[in-house]
Amino acid sequence: MKKIFILFLIPQFIFAELVLEITKGSDDPFVIALLSFDGKRALTDEVDVTINNDLKRTGEFKIIKDEKLLSSPSNEEDLDFNEFKLLGIDYIVMGALESEDKFNLSASYEIYNVISKKKIRTSKVFGIPNKIKQLSHYISDGIYEEITGIKGVASTKILYITEIVEEKKSLYELIVADADGANEQVLLKSYEPIISPAWSPDSKQVAYVSFETGIAKVYIQDIATGKRRVAIENTKQISSPSWSPNGNFLSMTMYQDGNAEIYILNLKNNNLTRLTNHYAIDTESSWSSDGSRIMFTSGRSGSPQLYEIKLRKYNSNPERITFEGNYNAKGSYLKNGDGIIFVHRADNDFKIALKYFNENFIRPLTESKLDESPSISPNGNVIIYAVTENGESLLSGLTLSGAKFRLPAKKGEVREPAWSGFLR
Amino acid sequence: MPSINNNKVQNFLFSFSFMILLSSCSSMNVTEERVYEGGIKTVEVSVAEVDELDYETKAIFANATVFFEFDSYNLTSKSIQTLKSVVSVMNQNKNIKITLAGHADERGTREYNLALGQRRAESVKDYFILNGINSSKVSVKSYGEERPVASGNDEMSYSKNRRVEIN
């Protein structure tokens, strides 16, 4: 079990609100020599640590640092592949940080395949001096996709809600942060609850539910400008927003006749289409990646279960897709459409669970008592969710390759994480 | 392990970032890109002041809270006793308007709990209407699990939180 406390390593990281803690990694990782970046030491330390943590968090790498190597070459000519081969290393990454001028900073890096003894990638990333971590995330993603063939998510972001209990009331904040939990920025502050944050597919807007008028309403906010509006004017409660993959529709739960029913709002012309019609609760809609199906939680069988509707089929009826246990809710489709991730009650505990469509059983993925709000990374490999333990809630992550990590909170409750799309 | 589509580097183009890809040969990737850092604006919500009820009305309904079983919106016989007394007060004071706020305990998902809180409040409203109260005098809303009165993680606290408050 390895724990990395960034705070004690480098003073620049004191601004980081969340601390990364890796509890378990993959059994068959890529072995990679991550040579220290050349350049000003004060800056390169941050690059080295950030890339190391990004790759570790994926659970797919075993990282060998300079001190464990037989030599530390800084260019191709000094590279003796056999030395690395002896140590069982598959890939070598070396790079340098260059200050172009006061406002520009760039990094170049190269990746070598030890077995084929060939350079397989040479890349350059342009950034700015006070965003070295962001620049490093780009490098991490370049390394990840070169080696695994899958796009990396170190440069993506997460949304979440925090609640800080003050004397008599609570302060709620909608936060956007880098995927490692650092670089937190507040999108919305309110003394009334905020729930259910959701990204637009282009990651430029967020939808959420705010109780600021006294009842739940769905708002859409532009991240860059802060401009916000209610999704649709209505006197009744509206909740649970979810964007269609093409960004043209927002599915929501509306309470027109007092009961929770799912509607689809066309964001171009404000037309509403009713999707469900049942006296039981229907809510928590979410779209499949190809936009052809909507899954939702319904109480129509007597307990919350997941159902799906095929949108492209005429007069399609909801089909039940979970049968195990008496509580299966808040489902999301895997990116490749092979299955679903959801909240499952086992005995008295609420866990995050996975179900593949070609299997007739549920795979529980987590061990705590009150796990909530799973959200899948845009590359489909990582799930982030909220855990409540000893009355405190914080964010945890797990990868489908078997790694687990935590983003513990320092103050207040942290909950309802939502993963952005790709940003690079 | 699920199978994952191999994403082509060429697909990385995003409207607000750029990346030039030059495939010099089949075995090596050459890339150049610029870090995108969009601006972020913080919005502070000014919360509307809740209309305070006058003291007398408030006193009458101060204790009117009814409780529910887990994942249930059925009225218990104890709840019905409470509601009966509210109905008689409302029949005596024809001007009274009430708000029913439904709540849930923290277990289960937030949106399902919001809907459950609404169902609980609607159950109470249905009872009032069946007992002759005009529906225009009753408004209904839900806070789901967002406003617990007891903060513990045990059944004692949970049972206090599964409620409809009548104000």
Side-chain angles (χ1 to χ4, degrees):
Chain A
M1 188 191 268
K2 269 204 171 151
K3 289 182 180 177
I4 299 160
F5 291 102
I6 306 168
L7 274 173
F8 300 118
L9 295 178
I10 296 176
Q12 286 100 308
F13 282 83
I14 284 168
F15 59 82
E17 289 275 335
L18 299 174
V19 181
L20 168 66
E21 181 186 318
I22 295 145
T23 53
K24 190 179 167 289
S26 158
D27 298 330
D28 184 23
F30 295 105
V31 184
I32 170 173
L34 201 57
L35 300 172
S36 295
F37 268 59
D38 280 342
K40 275 190 205 144
R41 195 60 201 268
L43 303 178
T44 58
D45 276 351
E46 191 168 355
V47 174
D48 293 337
V49 170
T50 305
I51 297 173
N52 181 60
N53 288 345
D54 285 345
L55 294 179
K56 274 228 161 114
R57 204 168 51 253
T58 69
E60 294 169 56
F61 295 89
K62 183 182 174 195
I63 297 162
I64 314 285
K65 305 289 282 292
D66 297 61
E67 56 271 21
K68 297 271 172 65
L69 298 171
L70 303 170
S71 65
S72 293
S74 57
N75 57 55
E76 199 171 353
E77 288 75 53
D78 299 339
L79 206 57
D80 178 0
F81 285 107
N82 291 327
E83 279 181 9
F84 291 87
K85 207 171 172 181
L86 275 173
L87 295 173
I89 290 163
D90 305 317
Y91 297 95
I92 305 163
V93 178
M94 63 169 79
L97 203 58
E98 295 125 32
S99 288
E100 309 261 319
D101 56 47
K102 222 167 118 185
F103 306 105
N104 289 289
L105 185 78
S106 67
S108 49
Y109 63 96
E110 290 165 350
I111 306 174
Y112 299 89
N113 181 324
V114 175
I115 308 301
S116 68
K117 299 187 177 181
K118 275 191 178 134
K119 183 171 8 182
I120 55 169
R121 183 181 178 111
T122 175
S123 295
K124 189 154 188 171
V125 187
F126 296 93
I128 52 174
N130 66 355
K131 301 275 186 200
I132 294 179
K133 280 198 83 178
Q134 282 65 42
L135 181 105
S136 310
H137 293 322
Y138 272 54
I139 300 169
S140 306
D141 283 347
I143 297 168
Y144 183 81
E145 70 209 12
E146 189 60 48
I147 294 173
T148 67
I150 299 159
K151 280 173 86 166
V153 292
S155 60
T156 60
K157 290 185 180 284
I158 47 173
L159 279 174
Y160 49 87
I161 310 286
T162 62
E163 179 184 351
I164 299 157
V165 181
E166 297 181 353
E167 251 177 62
K168 274 200 150 177
K169 48 189 180 176
S170 278
L171 172 64
Y172 301 87
E173 291 185 340
L174 173 62
I175 309 263
V176 62
D178 291 349
D180 62 357
N183 191 24
E184 287 187 292
Q185 285 164 296
V186 180
L187 290 180
L188 186 74
K189 277 181 181 216
S190 177
Y191 282 99
E192 291 290 339
I194 307 167
I195 64 168
S196 305
W199 292 91
S200 67
D202 66 5
S203 302
K204 289 179 176 175
Q205 292 178 298
V206 294
Y208 52 81
V209 174
S210 166
F211 287 72
E212 66 201 67
T213 59
I215 60 167
K217 291 275 175 197
V218 172
Y219 292 78
I220 295 174
Q221 182 171 328
D222 189 271
I223 293 174
T225 64
K227 259 193 200 158
R228 62 198 287 267
R229 62 183 177 88
V230 286
I232 187 155
E233 294 291 346
N234 195 291
T235 54
K236 298 281 174 60
Q237 175 172 293
I238 306 180
S239 194
S240 200
S242 174
W243 247 289
S244 69
N246 64 9
N248 294 339
F249 302 94
L250 193 70
S251 60
M252 303 179 300
T253 302
M254 298 183 71
Y255 293 78
Q256 284 309 100
D257 39 17
N259 182 36
E261 299 287 358
I262 296 162
Y263 287 74
I264 298 175
L265 173 67
N266 183 326
L267 292 167
K268 291 194 165 150
N269 59 19
N270 271 3
N271 280 349
L272 272 175
T273 308
R274 183 169 179 161
L275 191 69
T276 62
N277 192 348
H278 197 281
Y279 58 84
I281 292 167
D282 292 323
T283 188
E284 296 175 336
S285 55
S286 70
W287 300 71
S288 63
S289 311
D290 63 358
S292 72
R293 289 177 288 169
I294 284 184
M295 175 169 35
F296 60 98
T297 310
S298 177
R300 60 188 66 193
S301 71
S303 67
Q305 297 292 343
L306 293 166
Y307 291 74
E308 75 175 356
I309 289 184
K310 293 185 173 64
L311 298 175
R312 288 171 196 161
K313 214 169 119 188
Y314 177 70
N315 221 356
S316 162
N317 284 319
E319 278 173 47
R320 184 169 168 180
I321 50 180
T322 54
F323 295 92
E324 210 170 305
N326 64 0
Y327 205 114
N328 293 299
K330 196 166 168 62
S332 339
Y333 287 97
L334 292 177
K335 303 288 170 183
N336 58 13
D338 283 354
I340 54 171
I341 298 282
F342 54 100
V343 176
H344 169 67
R345 185 187 194 190
D347 299 323
N348 263 320
D349 298 344
F350 290 83
K351 297 174 188 304
I352 309 303
L354 164 68
K355 184 182 188 299
Y356 288 116
F357 289 127
N358 65 2
E359 293 177 346
N360 57 3
F361 56 92
I362 282 172
R363 299 165 178 258
L365 300 175
T366 61
E367 290 92 34
S368 320
K369 286 192 166 309
L370 276 175
D371 297 336
E372 273 197 341
S373 305
S375 177
I376 306 173
S377 65
N379 68 2
N381 273 7
V382 195
I383 298 153
I384 193 164
Y385 59 99
V387 182
T388 305
E389 265 176 8
N390 311 318
E392 287 202 354
S393 68
L394 42 85
L395 304 184
S396 265
L398 60 89
T399 71
L400 293 181
S401 62
K404 292 191 170 171
F405 61 90
R406 283 203 159 179
L407 306 170
K410 280 184 174 169
K411 55 168 188 179
E413 280 200 20
V414 185
R415 59 197 183 212
E416 294 199 272
W419 214 310
S420 76
F422 291 111
L423 300 173
R424 64 183 272 272
Chain B
M1 274 281 290
S3 70
I4 288 138
N5 292 333
N6 257 16
N7 289 298
K8 289 257 158 43
V9 180
Q10 282 87 338
N11 289 341
F12 284 9
L13 279 171
F14 235 83
S15 56
F16 45 83
S17 72
F18 76 87
M19 179 169 197
I20 305 161
L21 183 103
L22 306 156
S23 278
S24 54
C25 61
S26 60
S27 63
M28 188 171 78
N29 279 328
V30 180
T31 70
E32 246 183 59
E33 59 189 320
R34 180 167 291 276
V35 173
Y36 169 75
E37 256 301 301
I40 287 172
K41 186 92 188 282
T42 303
V43 177
E44 275 187 57
V45 172
S46 52
V47 172
E49 284 297 313
V50 182
D51 294 340
E52 286 293 323
L53 292 165
D54 62 82
Y55 186 76
E56 232 168 278
T57 320
K58 211 172 179 176
I60 293 166
F61 293 113
N63 293 318
T65 302
V66 292
F67 299 94
F68 297 81
E69 297 298 310
F70 178 71
D71 193 27
S72 162
Y73 42 84
N74 297 330
L75 298 174
T76 63
S77 52
K78 203 179 164 193
S79 300
I80 289 168
Q81 288 304 313
T82 309
L83 297 180
K84 268 184 186 162
S85 60
V86 176
V87 169
S88 71
V89 171
M90 288 190 75
N91 283 331
Q92 287 157 30
N93 304 265
K94 295 287 183 195
N95 296 328
I96 293 175
K97 284 189 173 182
I98 55 171
T99 300
L100 308 174
H103 299 264
D105 70 36
E106 65 171 341
R107 292 174 301 159
T109 60
R110 283 176 189 274
E111 283 288 353
Y112 197 82
N113 281 336
L114 183 71
L116 189 58
Q118 181 79 15
R119 283 306 287 261
R120 286 174 176 158
E122 294 283 348
S123 295
V124 174
K125 182 182 176 180
D126 290 347
Y127 178 88
F128 286 148
I129 291 168
L130 276 173
N131 285 275
I133 306 294
N134 192 314
S135 68
S136 66
K137 296 199 178 299
V138 186
S139 63
V140 163
K141 64 178 175 181
S142 175
Y143 280 103
E145 62 177 277
E146 311 306 322
R147 288 273 178 85
V149 285
S151 60
N153 307 100
D154 47 57
E155 179 49 33
M156 179 80 103
S157 301
Y158 294 153
S159 64
K160 287 178 183 158
N161 292 333
R162 295 189 298 262
R163 70 201 192 276
V164 170
E165 291 175 1
I166 304 162
N167 286 117

